[in-house]
Amino acid sequence: MEAIPYLAIVSALAALGLAGFFFNSVKAASPGNERMVFLMTEIQKGAKAFLKQEYIWVSGFAAVMAVVIAIVIVPAAAITYLLGAVLSAGAGYVGMTVATMANARTTEAAKDGPGKALPIAFRGGAVMGFSVAGLALLGLMIVYVVFVLMLESSDAFEIVTAYGLGASTIALFSRVGGGIYTKAADVGADLVGKVEAGIPEDDPRNPATIADNVGDNVGDVAGMGADLFESYAGSIIAPISLVAFALAISAEEATAATNISLLMFPVAIAFVGMISSIIGSFLIKGGESTDSKALSKALHLGTNVAMALTIVATVGVALWMFGDNADFDAPIGLAIAVIGGLIVGWALGKTAEYYTSDHFGPVKKIAQQTETGPATTILGGISAGMVSVAASVALILVGIGVAFWGGEMAFDNIGALDGGIYGIAVAAIGMLATTGVVVSVDAYGPIADNAGGIAEMAELDPSVREVTDALDSLGNTTAAVAKGFAVGSAALTALALFKSFEFAVIEAGGTLSLDVGEVDVFVGLFIGAALPFLFAALTIDAVGRAAQEMIEEVRRQFREIPGLREGKEGVIPDSARCVAISTTASLKEMVIPGALAVIVPLVVGFISVNMLGGLLAGALVTGFALAIFMANAGGAWDNAKKYIEAGAHGGKGSDQHKAAVVGDTVGDPFKDTSGPAMNILLKVMTIVSLVFASAFV
């Protein structure tokens, strides 16, 4: 078992090697004609410029946090905090770089049909997927090997936990900043272009089109990559910190038989999940049909195979690691906990698919409601999103129940560590064990979306846009599926980190009470319940303000540039101005929501640890529900619009289409800004509380 961290490092390096292989494969494909190359380059320049500015802003915040951590905790924790932040930012930058290369190449391949286009889009996404998983696991294992195994630091596990906080910091600002950028551009482009001017999506006359395509990359690729980096790293850190704080394990005791089994089990699951994801990624191939069911089957084959291999390997790992240890009654119980988490994560994704795919009733019902205008369209999307919360909560409760039962079956108590709570903690890594291929499928979506934009702006044959639209429609569903995995794991990870926080408070000489009859706990519950709503309001309002500025700029250009609206030859829009508006607005608007997640738990924690405990509990419940609601409502509105654009209910340009565009506009910040950032908010607040627990006491 001593070899497990090193095996995990090898699997991480293999994932990074695969990312390099896919990078070269995408790069070798033709990017198309001169106009397509120009558009690709403009999108790439805009995305790189934004990320550079964003990382400069975030690095200032990270530097302040590192100083605070070095003073309050230990200097080594500041180093691992910065390592987590740098690797998370690096994964996002690499993914964005290849996504902006793959877009035009996917468009060019679409001339020959989906059989050629889908693999290029997937491989572009796979660079992100395996960079995220590989760098997250590699960095975490290096930290563990150095500070726990080699140096045997007295604060080893606080130092390991700080790595997760660094990843969370980048994830929060990347999701919020990128989400504000992409949706400000998207809303401006859609409302003025489609609704007011009556021109197609991604029309080259629309000044906001380039900014919209840039936004797909900085929000849905770089932001999403940082999000899943943090989720994946956090799901491994949570059970490790739970064991370390519950049993008060020192670094010298980490290799004792029972301790090493409990500490290394989540790492072993990450290892087998990584290998399974690598195998699954080679099975995704495109067919010749543009039917979304056929495309979905092709795209999800790799994920399904990776999951199946992980399930089989998990049983073997559990029996091998715990079978000969007298402290464990039925090791298969821990395998059940992990597999339960994996299946519930898959089920959450399928639930999201049901509520957001145009193959099923909810989206078709919303499309039907466009017959009576935007108001009923919006009501339909809100209703679908709210109903999906009930189904998702039921699933997460099933997952918690199975994981708790599996953990209790494996062992009752080892010291202060409860088997059921440990089972819940490892269920989270079960959900994200196949992160490599899950993120690959998710990142495929923005590439397909960009490919459609380039096809329209380059004025290619309409048959090319038909292929890219089919790929893009599927991308909306795959994004909803990945968000289901992310928010489900966030709930389980936050619960495990919360329990670790409780043990850390006790170890520091304090006590933690969650008795709602105590005023400070009751106040904390209400603060926590309100925080996700405040966070959502700030981010949605930020999108609204930035979009308003974008709308005015697009209107101005249509009004003041002669011949632009009519498409006169040689007249081109000032796209750079729109890119600058989105960049400036998003960087300015991301600061307050991002800082809120860190500052509020610190302030409350220094006032009352019990109040902080109530805050974390309240935020977890409302944040999970809001994340599911917004992600699924937004996805449903988006695909209802695409369903109509495919010819249903009057098709493009009809009053029904305009109503659907309004619904999609409302849903844009729901599904791509506020909703995805919610799960990061939950974990940032919990991990901040854990890292600073001793300081609070």
Side-chain angles (χ1 to χ4, degrees), residues 163-503:
Y163 175 86
L165 180 57
S168 297
T169 301
I170 295 297
L172 185 64
F173 284 105
S174 292
R175 259 304 190 188
V176 173
I180 293 169
Y181 184 113
T182 183
K183 292 306 109 180
D186 198 359
V187 169
D190 280 358
L191 285 183
V192 183
K194 290 183 180 180
V195 178
E196 294 182 9
I199 60 178
E201 184 169 13
D202 298 314
D203 193 289
R205 291 171 287 176
N206 194 329
T209 296
I210 291 288
D212 185 12
N213 283 274
V214 170
D216 289 336
N217 292 286
V218 300
D220 298 338
V221 177
M224 177 274 298
D227 180 355
L228 270 296
F229 182 105
E230 180 268 346
S231 296
Y232 183 60
S235 68
I236 303 171
I237 290 170
I240 290 176
S241 64
L242 176 65
V243 172
F245 289 113
L247 302 182
I249 297 174
S250 65
E252 293 88 347
E253 298 167 323
T255 53
T258 297
N259 294 345
I260 194 172
S261 298
L262 292 167
L263 290 169
M264 286 295 100
F265 182 60
V267 178
I269 299 304
F271 164 70
V272 299
M274 186 77 80
I275 299 301
S276 300
S277 295
I278 291 171
I279 295 169
S281 69
F282 285 103
L283 301 178
I284 296 176
K285 296 177 172 59
E288 294 307 314
S289 172
T290 56
D291 177 70
S292 57
K293 283 188 177 178
L295 291 172
S296 178
K297 184 178 179 182
L299 197 57
H300 288 303
L301 177 62
T303 305
N304 295 337
V305 168
M307 286 175 58
L309 292 173
T310 302
I311 287 170
V312 173
T314 296
V315 174
V317 166
L319 295 176
W320 168 60
M321 293 187 71
F322 302 102
D324 296 330
N325 192 320
D327 288 332
F328 299 92
D329 303 318
I332 195 69
L334 292 177
I336 291 171
V338 173
I339 293 167
L342 183 61
I343 292 173
V344 167
W346 173 85
L348 284 169
K350 287 298 176 184
T351 301
E353 184 174 357
Y354 173 77
Y355 284 101
T356 60
S357 170
D358 60 13
H359 288 295
F360 303 107
V363 168
K364 290 181 178 179
K365 182 181 176 183
I366 294 169
Q368 176 68 40
Q369 288 171 306
T370 62
E371 299 280 355
T372 48
T376 49
T377 303
I378 290 170
L379 288 173
I382 290 173
S383 172
M386 286 182 170
V387 170
S388 74
V389 172
S392 299
V393 167
L395 283 171
I396 205 72
L397 291 179
V398 168
I400 290 172
V402 169
F404 188 85
W405 173 71
E408 289 280 287
M409 180 193 300
F411 65 94
D412 290 327
N413 294 95
I414 296 175
L417 180 64
D418 179 82
I421 298 297
Y422 182 76
I424 292 170
V426 296
I429 183 58
M431 281 189 180
L432 292 175
T434 56
T435 288
V437 72
V438 168
V439 177
S440 301
V441 172
D442 190 359
Y444 142 95
I447 293 171
D449 191 1
N450 264 207
I454 289 173
E456 191 76 41
M457 288 185 285
E459 299 177 331
L460 301 181
D461 189 273
S463 62
V464 177
R465 185 65 196 245
E466 287 177 17
V467 172
T468 59
D469 277 353
L471 298 176
D472 182 27
S473 180
L474 176 59
N476 283 325
T477 302
T478 59
V481 170
K483 287 166 189 169
F485 273 98
V487 75
S489 70
L492 300 185
T493 300
L495 177 58
L497 290 172
F498 181 82
K499 197 67 180 175
S500 301
F501 167 64
E502 181 183 342
F503 287 127

Side-chain angles (χ1 to χ4, degrees), residues 621-649:
V621 174
T622 58
F624 175 81
L626 262 180
I628 294 290
F629 159 64
M630 289 192 287
N632 289 345
W637 276 314
D638 195 348
N639 274 342
K641 177 198 71 175
K642 285 183 166 57
Y643 182 60
I644 291 172
E645 288 176 343
H649 300 286

Side-chain angles (χ1 to χ4, degrees), residues 531-543:
L531 264 179
F533 287 92
L534 176 60
F535 183 82
L538 288 170
T539 49
I540 290 172
D541 200 31
V543 170

Side-chain angles (χ1 to χ4, degrees), residues 64-79 692:
V64 173
M65 280 295 295
V67 171
V68 172
I69 290 170
I71 295 170
V72 177
I73 312 301
V74 63
I79 295 171
F692 287 91

Side-chain angles (χ1 to χ4, degrees), residues 127-152:
V127 175
M128 165 61 89
F130 288 99
S131 294
V132 164
L135 287 174
L137 187 57
L138 179 64
L140 180 56
M141 287 301 97
I142 288 174
V143 168
Y144 189 90
V145 168
V146 171
F147 291 101
V148 179
L149 301 183
M150 291 183 177
L151 299 180
E152 296 186 345

